[in-house]
Amino acid sequence: MESFILILFLSMGFNLTVHGEVNKQEIGGFNQNIYNGRSDVAKTIDQSCQKCKCSLLTADCSSRKIESLPLDLPQNITTLNLYDNYITALPDFLLGRYYKNLQTLDMRENKLSTTGQYTFQGLGKLLNLHITWKRGSIMHPLLLKPLKEIQIIDVNGEGGNFKGNEIERDAWLNAFEGLQNSTIEKITYKQVIFPFILKEKHFTYFKNCQLKELHLPHN
Ligand SMILES: *[C@@H]1O[C@H](CO)[C@@H](O)[C@H](O)[C@H]1NC(C)=O
Ligand SMILES: *[C@@H]1O[C@H](CO)[C@@H](O)[C@H](O)[C@H]1NC(C)=O
């Protein structure tokens, strides 16, 4: 599979590396950043950050059994960590309406099953997206289109042998469509699904992009 991808890209004139492993250090660094947030600042700036640990620019809402997007976080946060919660749905426009300055969003380990076309609408400054692929979930193919500045997308799947239909299986690959002409640099789809079927059309979406790395570990 890897050599197939490389050959395809070379023949299309791309300068892209495909690796088989993820750089865990990066994710670790990201979390560390969050825990360095000063919660004492938050108390004077925003009284309403009830469930999370907030600072002026950061909200750490990880592992708090949260079931929906908290709407009482400081409006100018650039980092929102929702890692390990029970969020099942993100209504269209909600994120962008409340937190339009987000640069880093961690939605890993949630129960998100379906997204609309405008789930990320308004997040024009987002640089890093970390999200979990849930088995049987349906992602809108243009889900990623509003992310005008996106650089890094990390998708963690549940893995395993897939028995659902083709639309569910290919949902995250089809979401490449929304990245046409985007600023994306690095994509990691980890343990997403088996079999993992990359088609030529999935690559054509990156024709005008500067994509440098595509990591597909544990698939
Ligand atoms: C958020 O940012 C805007 C524009 O930069 C600024 O006017 C506003 O005061 C900020 N709000 C808070 C709560 O910091
Ligand atoms: C991407 O850019 C090309 C060249 O500028 C343009 O023709 C095409 O319509 C754009 N596609 C999208 C989806 O924006």
Side-chain angles (χ1 to χ4, degrees), residues 67-83:
E67 291 174 8
S68 62
L69 179 69
L71 302 179
D72 62 348
L73 310 174
Q75 65 181 44
N76 289 348
I77 49 170
T78 56
T79 297
L80 173 54
N81 185 357
L82 291 165
Y83 177 79

Side-chain angles (χ1 to χ4, degrees), residues 7-213:
I7 289 160
L8 187 64
F9 268 82
L10 286 173
S11 66
M12 292 170 77
F14 287 141
N15 179 17
L16 178 95
T17 12
V18 179
H19 299 275
E21 277 303 320
V22 234
N23 185 349
K24 295 196 178 70
Q25 243 175 347
E26 271 181 25
I27 295 170
F30 167 68
N31 283 335
Q32 202 173 11
N33 229 340
I34 285 167
Y35 292 117
N36 287 340
R38 293 179 53 194
S39 54
D40 51 332
V41 176
K43 287 197 187 89
T44 56
I45 287 162
D46 195 327
Q47 302 282 354
S48 58
C49 184
Q50 295 285 325
K51 288 184 183 150
C52 310
K53 188 166 142 191
C54 297
S55 71
L56 193 54
L57 298 177
T58 298
D60 177 10
C61 306
S62 60
S63 306
R64 281 164 169 80
K65 301 188 168 67
I66 289 170
E67 291 174 8
S68 62
L69 179 69
L71 302 179
D72 62 348
L73 310 174
Q75 65 181 44
N76 289 348
I77 49 170
T78 56
T79 297
L80 173 54
N81 185 357
L82 291 165
Y83 177 79
D84 183 29
N85 281 294
Y86 301 141
I87 296 174
T88 53
L90 270 177
D92 277 353
F93 303 105
L94 195 64
L95 267 167
R97 188 173 295 149
Y98 281 83
Y99 309 117
K100 63 179 188 318
N101 289 334
L102 282 184
Q103 294 177 358
T104 297
L105 173 63
D106 190 343
M107 288 285 309
R108 285 175 300 148
E109 300 301 322
N110 276 278
K111 313 274 179 208
L112 206 58
S113 61
T114 305
T115 68
Q117 181 173 354
Y118 301 108
T119 299
F120 296 137
Q121 189 71 34
L123 296 185
K125 297 180 183 172
L126 198 75
L127 304 174
N128 306 299
L129 173 65
H130 307 268
I131 196 163
T132 294
W133 183 94
K134 197 172 162 296
R135 195 173 303 203
S137 62
I138 299 288
M139 299 295 139
H140 193 285
L142 296 178
L143 169 73
L144 303 171
K145 195 172 177 196
L147 306 177
K148 299 291 180 208
E149 308 261 320
I150 193 73
Q151 292 176 359
I152 295 173
I153 295 178
D154 252 324
V155 180
N156 272 343
E158 299 175 315
N161 208 325
F162 194 65
K163 298 190 178 66
N165 68 41
E166 199 174 309
I167 295 171
E168 291 174 10
R169 185 195 65 198
D170 293 346
W172 274 106
L173 296 173
N174 291 338
F176 286 168
E177 184 178 349
L179 292 172
Q180 284 176 94
N181 298 354
S182 74
T183 51
I184 189 72
E185 290 182 5
K186 178 178 171 185
I187 299 176
T188 304
Y189 278 15
K190 182 184 172 188
Q191 207 174 330
V192 174
I193 213 158
F194 182 83
F196 189 96
I197 301 179
L198 271 164
K199 298 178 185 152
E200 195 169 338
K201 75 163 186 189
H202 295 128
F203 290 103
T204 61
Y205 296 135
F206 297 120
K207 205 164 59 161
N208 296 320
C209 298
Q210 299 296 315
L211 185 68
K212 294 183 185 75
E213 296 177 41

